[in-house]
Amino acid sequence: MKRQKKLWTGLLAALLAVCLTAALPVYLAPEASAVTQEEIDALKNSAKDLDGQKRELQQQLAAVAADKNRALEQKALLERQIAVLNTQIANIAEQIAMYDQLIAEKTEELARAEEDEARQYDLFCQRVRVMEEEGEVSYWSILFNSSDFADLLDRFIMVEEIIDYDNAVMDQLIAIREQIAVDKAGLELARQGQQEAKEEQEAAKAELKDQEARVEQLIREISAKEEELEKAEAQLKAAAEAMDREIKEKEKALAAQLAKIVSEAGFIWPLKSDKTLTSLFGNRTHPITGKPNNHTGIDIAAGGGTPILSAKSGLVTTSGYNNSYGNYVVVSHGGGQSTLYAHMRSRAVSEGQSVTQGQTLGYVGSTGSSTGNHLHFEVRLNGGRVDPLNYFKGSTLYIRSKGQTVTYVVP
């Protein structure tokens, strides 16, 4: 009977230990966040580089600002600053989006931790009630009621398991509460970082608006001076010629890649819905100089920021800035054919990049020798310009001139 009682006592102790261990909830650390502060900090470092570019351009601008005869240089520098500002605003927008995701993740982590705390606290209260009811004397009574030494050892192990379990309940409650404190601090830091990013973005947008206003003022100043107009005409012509040489050199360097291009037979219109022409291919009056000149493409009116689409698939041979064309992109389609997109507010592709028909190349703006938002679109064939409308026969377009708009079906 003693051996049987000893056996049952041992089994009871073992079973109690197993049950207590199984009942103890396991606290799981939160999973790694999909967005990390390190990723946001990397974007902030990129923004610092952009600040450096802005300061450098500002120094150059200060050097020419006092000289009223260098208005074109001022305009070019301001437009380069505007390009940097647009990149900076996009960078901050990405930071804010990442903060949104980080805040959502940390809010979810905090909610899970608080749920764990509630469950653990309930278990803690249950154990406290049991200890209050049993008291320390009950542990001694369990030991003193042992039938022999072996039974005493079994009972001691059982009591030790119960004490370890109670300690583990308290330890986990402490650990969860510490994690909640960490989660709350992390959430607050993320919210603070997001607010700072939003304030920085608003400041950048205000600066952008100011720079655009300064560009418009410079255009008015240039247009009001005969000597400045003559200088502008010469500079714009030189800039256009320099750009032509650069395009030819880059196409020559990329000849091996261009030979492999397989593009569509036809063109698509470079803007999704805007089809109003403000200037046709050929002779016209230049919008800044006010003098007759040969227009090398067509001008399509569109709101600032409208996406500009690649008319055909091809390879980006040029993506840069020019005093005449402003921000511009050239896409080569093979067979000596290429298209040019000018006066962009900002560019969305880089040199050497392959693009598909309809892909966004940049956004409508008024950089370079321009007095309003529009797209200057050119088609080049073996280095020479041809009328882009030759590739849109039968299309219904609109021509705006002297305040009137007429429907035009391309013959």
Side-chain angles (χ1 to χ4, degrees):
M1 289 294 293
K2 285 184 179 181
R3 280 197 301 272
Q4 189 176 13
K5 183 178 180 182
K6 175 183 173 183
L7 178 60
W8 279 110
T9 302
L11 287 173
L12 180 63
L15 181 60
L16 181 60
V18 171
C19 291
L20 289 175
T21 303
L24 187 64
V26 178
Y27 176 67
L28 298 176
E31 296 179 2
S33 174
V35 173
T36 65
Q37 187 62 47
E38 288 75 14
E39 290 175 308
I40 297 175
D41 290 342
L43 279 174
K44 288 183 177 179
N45 289 333
S46 297
K48 287 180 182 177
D49 293 339
L50 293 171
D51 282 333
Q53 293 179 39
K54 281 199 310 184
R55 284 193 297 271
E56 183 180 343
L57 288 168
Q58 189 59 41
Q59 290 171 359
Q60 295 177 39
L61 189 60
V64 301
D67 190 347
K68 296 299 182 182
N69 294 321
R70 302 176 73 177
L72 278 175
E73 292 179 55
Q74 293 179 46
K75 182 175 182 291
L77 287 168
L78 282 168
E79 287 174 347
R80 288 171 62 188
Q81 279 193 326
I82 286 171
V84 173
L85 276 168
N86 278 316
T87 303
Q88 189 174 42
I89 289 169
N91 176 291
I92 298 170
E94 190 174 353
Q95 289 183 41
I96 291 171
M98 293 180 77
Y99 271 124
D100 285 339
Q101 189 175 348
L102 185 63
I103 289 169
E105 290 166 359
K106 288 193 173 295
T107 301
E108 186 178 346
E109 289 172 6
L110 179 59
R112 287 200 301 266
E114 288 175 340
E115 288 175 4
D116 289 342
E117 181 198 31
R119 287 193 294 269
Q120 194 69 18
Y121 182 71
D122 183 62
L123 180 59
F124 172 76
C125 291
Q126 292 177 32
R127 291 306 305 154
V128 168
R129 283 194 295 271
V130 170
M131 286 187 284
E132 286 177 348
E133 292 169 1
E134 296 294 333
E136 292 186 6
V137 177
S138 63
Y139 291 146
W140 289 112
S141 64
I142 291 172
L143 296 176
F144 289 147
N145 287 330
S146 302
S147 57
D148 53 31
F149 185 72
D151 188 27
L152 175 66
L153 289 178
D154 290 336
R155 289 169 181 258
F156 178 80
I157 292 171
M158 180 179 66
V159 170
E160 191 176 50
E161 292 283 356
I162 295 171
I163 293 172
D164 287 345
Y165 173 80
D166 290 336
N167 288 337
V169 169
M170 289 185 284
D171 289 344
Q172 286 209 21
L173 182 59
I174 292 169
I176 292 172
R177 287 184 170 175
E178 288 175 348
Q179 184 61 45
I180 287 175
V182 170
D183 289 345
K184 284 182 176 178
L187 181 59
E188 183 58 34
L189 281 174
R191 285 174 174 162
Q192 181 181 343
Q194 185 188 55
Q195 182 59 35
E196 290 172 356
K198 287 181 177 178
E199 291 171 1
E200 186 180 352
Q201 187 182 54
E202 288 305 310
K205 286 181 178 179
E207 186 179 358
L208 175 63
K209 187 176 181 180
D210 178 65
Q211 300 290 52
E212 289 174 338
R214 290 177 67 186
V215 168
E216 291 176 4
Q217 178 60 31
L218 281 170
I219 289 173
R220 288 192 290 270
E221 290 177 11
I222 294 167
S223 300
K225 294 181 179 180
E226 182 65 30
E227 67 277 10
E228 191 68 18
L229 291 178
E230 292 177 359
K231 182 180 178 182
E233 185 177 21
Q235 288 183 351
L236 293 174
K237 183 178 179 181
E241 291 173 350
M243 187 197 67
D244 286 345
R245 290 193 297 271
E246 183 181 358
I247 291 172
K248 288 178 182 178
E249 289 172 2
K250 289 181 177 178
E251 287 181 343
K252 186 177 179 181
L254 294 168
Q257 289 175 258
L258 294 176
K260 299 176 183 178
I261 292 176
V262 178
S263 190
E264 297 80 8
F267 286 70
I268 64 167
W269 194 249
L271 296 173
K272 189 172 182 180
S273 57
D274 299 285
K275 295 186 178 181
T276 299
L277 306 179
T278 55
S279 187
L280 299 174
F281 181 83
N283 294 327
R284 66 146 186 188
T285 299
H286 195 279
I288 288 185
T289 67
K291 294 187 175 184
N293 79 320
N294 182 45
H295 193 220
T296 55
I298 57 174
D299 289 346
I300 311 168
T306 301
I308 297 169
L309 314 177
S310 183
K312 293 178 69 175
S313 300
L315 183 73
V316 177
T317 52
T318 307
S319 178
Y321 179 89
N322 177 278
N323 287 350
S324 178
Y325 283 74
N327 287 309
Y328 73 104
V329 168
V330 177
V331 179
S332 291
H333 310 292
Q337 188 185 71
S338 63
T339 48
L340 179 144
Y341 312 77
H343 306 308
M344 294 180 173
R345 173 182 290 179
S346 59
R347 292 169 277 119
V349 292
S350 54
E351 292 178 11
Q353 180 179 340
S354 294
V355 295
T356 57
Q357 188 177 54
Q359 182 173 336
T360 298
L361 303 177
Y363 303 91
V364 170
S366 184
T367 57
S369 58
S370 167
T371 56
N373 290 316
H374 73 284
L375 168 65
H376 174 80
F377 177 60
E378 292 184 9
V379 176
R380 297 172 172 232
L381 191 60
N382 298 320
R385 279 94 160 185
V386 296
D387 189 348
L389 295 186
N390 291 341
Y391 298 89
F392 297 95
K393 294 184 182 297
S395 299
T396 299
L397 305 174
Y398 305 91
I399 298 177
R400 183 189 302 158
S401 178
K402 297 179 181 180
Q404 293 185 335
T405 301
V406 297
T407 302
Y408 176 69
V409 178
V410 182

